[in-house]
Amino acid sequence: MRTSTRGSRRLMALAAVAALTTGLLAGCAEDSDDGSSNSDGGSGGGKTTLTIGTFGVFGYKQAGLYDEYMKKNPDITIKENVTTRTDVYWPKTLTRLQAGSGTDDIQAIEIGNVAEAVQTQADKFVDLGKEVDKSQWLDWKTAQATTKDGKTIGLGTDIGPMAICYRKDLFEAAGLETDRTKLAEQWKGDWSKYVDVGKDYMKKAPKGTKFVDSASSVYNAALGGEDQRYYDEDGNVIWDKSTGVKKAWEASMEVATSDMSAKLKQFDKPWDQAFANAKFATVACPAWMIGYIQEKSGEAGKGKWDIAAAPTAANWGGAFIGVPTAGKHQKEAIALAKWLTAPEQQAKVFAKQASFPSIPAAYPSLKPQAATTAFFSDAPITQIFSDSAKTIPTQIFGVKDQPIGTAITDIGILQVEQKGKTPDQGWDAATKEIKDVLGQ
Amino acid sequence: MTSSKQALARSASSADAAPGSQPGAARRAHGRGTPPPGPDSWRSRLYRWDMKASPYAFIAPFFIFFGAFGLIPLLYTAWYSLHNVQLSNLDQQTWAGLDNYQNLISSDFFWTALKNTFTIGVISTVPQLIMAIGIAHLLNYKLRGSTVWRVVMLTPYATSVAAATLVFVLLYSWDGGMINWLLGFVGVDPVNWRESTWGSQFAVSSIVIWRWTGYNALIYLAAMQAIPSDLYESAALDGAGRWQQFRHVTIPMLRPTILFTVVVSTIGATQLFGEPLLFGGASGSKGGSEHQYQTLGLYMYDQGWIIGNLGKASAIAWTMFLILLIVAAINLLITRRLRKSQ
């Protein structure tokens, strides 16, 4: 009798442990990134294994492109190595490129890193400009991946043309215009006009809602339409003199010092939740954002969101894929990279993942999913984004573009928005940070 | 030397002379424990070499790995810290002398990080260890289902930092987080847990405390159970209550264990990295807009892997190493003092 109770007690303890640990550990499965080393391939049945290193969701797998390519080319096997965080992916890729080993056959390059790749790693990449007809791509897109002596190290995948996504129901409750063309007309040409609409919104805002998610998103959206950013053509840092930075900063400061921002940090969990709870009425909306909004708002947001043209044609985000010279199967990798970035494939990725093509020839055939169209109140999604894409100015990027941008948004703007500092204090803090970044 | 040789030789000859023993067995005996006869034969040399070198061969794997993955990177980091090196251009290194270190000493961010590491270390370690002793004391009573309680104590430790921190980020979220919601009932204004200095440091510490309290409690519990019960009995006879027993019996007997946990926790606190990084979300390596919870580990990560100044990051790494050595030395001094005083 005694032994049996002890046994059952032990069993209970075990069950408790099992239940608790599985419950607690379930969370960590999500954030494990697949950094598994790439296989050499070339062995076994004459098959070539091509590896492709990406960050985040590129949509190739989701759109079934790998399977399609493998069916067409039975001797090729494709393996994707995904690293979720860009801040982990890029340093890892840089060190491997320089070591000349461990790189994937194809490596993705984010727009914020492409200048660094062009200026410091060009000799580590195959010149893809010779392999394709470069004129297919938007000029500014190819220009970003091309060195001064004309070597193109990466083929453009998606771009991030800008629009404004807004909640029609909240606009209506605040007594504002809800028609997308009339709204676009109201703020056309200047982000400060968009801020003015925000001021109107706040006068009669539905309880608990704000006009925009964060001041940083306004900054990034506005800067994406300026031709002058942090660097000039010769690679000199001009961020403190740049007219583009000044304009974008002023627009974001108007948001940060007023009551119209929900003061969230983009891509944080609370930001995700705010989509579901309809805490803000508008968000600067590059093409890749619409999939995000759809996912995070869920069924409740269906038909309540709409899309209007942004004040200026702007670009936010996008990527390239390049072929490192250290790869073992360069010929096959080049063929795959060409195929993946061809207009038909870009259109397929758009249909599945809403990543917007960087080749204009793909635009007439773009079809968003029916669910997406319904979600955004039947807005002419492709029309709005392709109009923006074609008029985006050529922007110059520099080696430390990414950390400079982070210093302005996550130090300067955040201090004003969340800690009640004055814009001047915020600017000084960003200046100090950028000097640290540049080692001055 | 000679006497041992003689002894060995004698035993060998006695093995040879043993009646009925097989020659093969005798040879096996030679191979195992005794050298073959003859003062300088190849066999005996091999044997002596075996006796001297084998232990080194056995411990070598650790030291080879330590050399490859510990010592060489350590020295290489020292070399880097004296150069200007960019992550994007590892081959181009220009001699900088002590510039990187000078740069650090004159950098506000470095001193902020050092101060944060210290304050977060104190406000996470001290309550953690005090709570752990208290919990261990409670677990030491006779309880129903004591295994369950003990195992539950350890579960936070088994959770991954990432999963735990994500949950805490939601709890501490500024708008609609549970902690601000609870504070609202008491009439306290919502605290911006990520951007206020004390709020963010408290939040990060609470994650550390949550994860490690149970771990330390179990260590204390193990030590408490080793305390002989007659000490408590005699204390009880002398009229000591529960609290007095705890103060005058338990704590003194736990002293070496407490010292051990203090040392381990101090090292952990100096290297604090994962919790603040993940707590900060998308740009966690900055440790907040005013670097208010950026620890030394985060500062090094930000400089090296986000900004790409490997030279400066290496200098931070070495400074951290030196700080840890100083901390270890202070710990050693205190330990000696305590031993002498006993």
Side-chain angles (χ1 to χ4, degrees):
Chain A
M1 195 61 209
R2 180 166 271 192
T3 43
S4 86
T5 51
R6 263 187 68 180
S8 70
R9 217 178 269 169
R10 191 163 292 168
L11 204 71
M12 246 176 62
L14 269 174
V17 182
L20 277 164
T21 44
T22 46
L24 289 167
L25 292 174
C28 25
E30 281 176 312
D31 51 68
S32 72
D33 65 31
D34 183 9
S36 57
S37 60
N38 46 341
S39 54
D40 286 345
S43 60
K47 271 210 165 191
T48 308
T49 303
L50 292 179
T51 58
I52 170 162
T54 64
F55 48 87
V57 179
F58 264 62
Y60 294 148
K61 192 184 264 170
Q62 288 77 1
L65 292 188
Y66 297 144
D67 290 336
E68 194 181 333
Y69 193 78
M70 287 190 276
K71 212 174 259 175
K72 278 186 188 163
N73 303 276
D75 52 333
I76 302 271
T77 311
I78 303 171
K79 201 169 152 273
E80 192 181 55
N81 294 328
V82 188
T83 307
T84 327
R85 287 183 69 137
T86 328
D87 58 345
V88 178
Y89 172 81
W90 186 240
K92 190 167 77 182
T93 307
L94 271 183
T95 44
R96 286 179 180 176
L97 281 172
Q98 290 173 80
S101 73
T103 56
D104 292 311
D105 293 300
I106 294 178
Q107 293 281 178
I109 309 165
E110 219 258 337
I111 191 171
N113 305 121
V114 78
E116 188 173 12
V118 163
Q119 287 172 33
T120 66
Q121 312 294 319
D123 54 330
K124 310 280 194 307
F125 281 101
V126 172
D127 184 0
L128 292 169
K130 290 178 189 150
E131 311 284 338
V132 293
D133 173 16
K134 283 198 272 186
S135 66
Q136 295 178 81
W137 276 267
L138 292 161
D139 292 340
W140 56 266
K141 182 76 174 173
T142 313
Q144 284 168 350
T146 305
T147 62
K148 274 193 177 157
D149 45 2
K151 186 178 175 186
T152 304
I153 64 159
L155 299 179
T157 60
D158 64 319
I159 56 172
M162 191 71 64
I164 302 287
C165 294
Y166 65 100
R167 300 253 335 188
K168 229 169 33 179
D169 56 332
L170 296 184
F171 266 55
E172 201 174 342
L176 295 187
E177 179 62 61
T178 54
D179 181 73
R180 61 181 82 89
T181 37
K182 285 182 188 153
L183 258 183
E185 211 49 52
Q186 278 185 12
W187 55 52
K188 194 176 165 68
D190 200 337
W191 282 87
S192 70
K193 289 186 192 165
Y194 166 75
V195 177
D196 290 340
V197 175
K199 285 174 188 156
D200 288 343
Y201 178 88
M202 290 316 292
K203 280 177 201 153
K204 275 179 71 183
K207 200 171 175 290
T209 69
K210 302 284 178 183
F211 181 63
V212 66
D213 61 334
S214 69
S216 298
S217 83
V218 173
Y219 173 83
N220 280 328
L223 189 68
E226 300 291 335
D227 43 12
Q228 231 182 33
R229 288 171 58 98
Y230 308 129
Y231 285 80
D232 67 7
E233 284 107 335
D234 303 321
N236 300 315
V237 195
I238 51 150
W239 70 279
D240 49 348
K241 301 184 275 286
S242 154
T243 53
V245 172
K246 192 156 180 267
K247 271 195 209 166
W249 173 264
E250 276 162 7
S252 75
M253 281 304 110
E254 277 196 72
V255 174
T257 52
S258 68
D259 192 33
M260 68 174 77
S261 164
K263 303 186 180 181
L264 294 159
K265 237 171 127 187
Q266 292 202 316
F267 303 105
D268 270 359
K269 279 271 181 287
W271 185 65
D272 290 353
Q273 286 182 326
F275 274 114
N277 301 331
K279 292 272 188 185
F280 48 80
T282 67
V283 59
C285 197
W288 45 261
M289 187 81 89
I290 64 175
Y292 209 92
I293 297 175
Q294 202 181 336
E295 186 194 325
K296 298 300 174 194
S297 301
E299 270 303 296
K302 192 177 172 187
K304 292 185 176 139
W305 283 92
D306 204 329
I307 305 178
T312 55
N315 181 67
W316 180 0
F320 301 83
I321 51 177
V323 176
T325 49
K328 288 196 182 80
H329 314 287
Q330 276 174 39
K331 219 179 78 203
E332 293 86 346
I334 292 168
L336 176 61
K338 270 166 73 174
W339 187 81
L340 283 174
T341 52
E344 306 83 59
Q345 275 64 252
Q346 293 208 8
K348 283 175 204 159
V349 174
F350 177 80
K352 183 74 193 157
Q353 208 67 41
S355 299
F356 206 78
S358 52
I359 294 186
Y363 296 169
S365 63
L366 289 186
K367 275 192 216 67
Q369 284 180 331
T372 310
T373 321
F375 190 89
F376 289 99
S377 316
D378 298 316
I381 296 176
T382 49
Q383 189 60 43
I384 291 171
F385 286 122
S386 31
D387 286 351
S388 171
K390 286 173 190 162
T391 47
I392 292 166
T394 305
Q395 297 186 308
I396 297 145
F397 282 77
V399 176
K400 301 241 164 164
D401 233 83
Q402 199 118 306
I404 293 177
T406 311
I408 293 186
T409 55
D410 292 11
I411 302 288
I413 295 178
L414 209 66
Q415 283 196 9
V416 179
E417 189 175 36
Q418 300 205 359
K419 306 196 78 169
K421 298 278 174 80
T422 67
D424 285 342
Q425 285 171 325
W427 184 256
D428 289 344
T431 306
K432 199 174 146 199
E433 189 76 26
I434 292 170
K435 283 193 170 152
D436 188 55
V437 166
L438 299 169
Q440 288 170 345
Chain B
M1 190 66 189
T2 37
S3 68
S4 75
K5 241 184 201 166
Q6 277 168 352
L8 286 170
R10 205 181 303 135
S11 75
S13 61
S14 71
D16 274 339
S21 71
Q22 301 287 314
R27 207 183 306 148
R28 220 177 298 136
H30 282 312
R32 280 289 153 87
T34 54
D40 235 24
S41 73
W42 180 79
R43 238 169 207 289
S44 76
R45 246 182 297 150
L46 194 69
Y47 172 81
R48 258 184 288 144
W49 200 75
D50 178 42
M51 288 292 279
K52 276 187 188 154
S54 292
Y56 294 103
F58 293 144
I59 57 164
F62 169 78
F63 286 92
I64 290 170
F65 273 97
F66 173 74
F69 298 107
L71 194 65
I72 291 175
L74 193 73
L75 297 176
Y76 211 67
T77 310
W79 175 251
Y80 264 6
S81 74
L82 301 174
H83 289 77
N84 279 324
V85 196
Q86 290 292 309
L87 179 63
S88 56
N89 203 343
L90 294 173
D91 299 331
Q92 201 191 55
Q93 303 167 9
T94 50
W95 177 255
L98 291 174
D99 280 4
N100 283 325
Y101 291 93
Q102 246 157 20
N103 200 326
L104 269 193
I105 288 169
S106 60
S107 154
D108 291 347
F109 299 146
F110 170 73
W111 291 108
T112 313
L114 185 64
K115 202 180 76 201
N116 290 344
T117 310
F118 180 74
T119 49
I120 295 177
V122 169
I123 58 180
S124 63
T125 309
V126 174
Q128 181 196 135
L129 294 183
I130 291 172
M131 272 161 60
I133 288 193
I135 290 169
H137 185 64
L138 293 179
L139 284 176
N140 205 16
Y141 285 117
K142 284 204 175 73
L143 289 172
R144 272 177 173 277
S146 55
T147 326
V148 174
W149 295 111
R150 285 170 199 176
V151 166
V152 169
M153 283 313 300
L154 203 61
T155 36
Y157 173 64
T159 321
S160 90
V161 194
T165 311
L166 282 182
V167 174
F168 273 87
V169 166
L170 285 180
L171 291 181
Y172 281 113
S173 107
W174 182 61
D175 194 19
M178 200 166 91
I179 290 174
N180 275 346
W181 179 69
L182 288 175
L183 284 180
F185 281 122
V186 203
V188 180
D189 285 336
V191 178
N192 190 339
W193 291 104
R194 195 183 287 176
E195 284 307 318
S196 66
T197 307
W198 283 105
S200 60
Q201 295 195 352
F202 175 82
V204 170
S205 304
S206 70
I207 308 172
V208 180
I209 292 173
W210 182 80
R211 279 196 79 219
W212 290 91
T213 304
Y215 172 84
N216 285 312
L218 284 196
I219 292 181
Y220 289 143
L221 180 64
M224 279 177 190
Q225 294 192 328
I227 300 174
S229 57
D230 37 333
L231 282 180
Y232 289 106
E233 277 161 23
S234 50
L237 281 179
D238 288 344
R242 286 262 186 214
W243 173 242
Q244 280 173 319
Q245 287 179 22
F246 179 70
R247 265 190 64 199
H248 296 291
V249 182
T250 313
I251 296 289
M253 293 299 284
L254 281 185
R255 200 176 276 166
T257 317
I258 293 173
L259 213 67
F260 167 76
T261 54
V262 167
V263 172
V264 170
S265 305
T266 314
I267 292 174
T270 318
Q271 298 173 331
L272 187 66
F273 174 73
E275 285 88 348
L277 177 74
L278 293 163
F279 183 72
S283 58
S285 63
K286 295 276 182 225
S289 68
E290 282 186 302
H291 297 243
Q292 66 269 22
Y293 55 91
Q294 188 178 45
T295 59
L296 279 176
L298 273 189
Y299 186 51
M300 175 176 76
Y301 179 73
D302 190 46
Q303 282 293 333
W305 300 107
I306 305 293
I307 295 172
N309 286 331
L310 277 188
K312 194 167 165 189
S314 305
I316 302 169
W318 261 84
T319 315
M320 272 175 79
F321 179 62
L322 293 179
I323 291 172
L324 269 180
L325 285 184
I326 293 171
V327 169
I330 293 172
N331 266 320
L332 199 74
L333 275 180
I334 295 175
T335 322
R336 281 213 186 131
R337 276 276 160 79
L338 281 177
R339 279 225 187 96
K340 267 184 198 159
S341 74
Q342 261 182 343

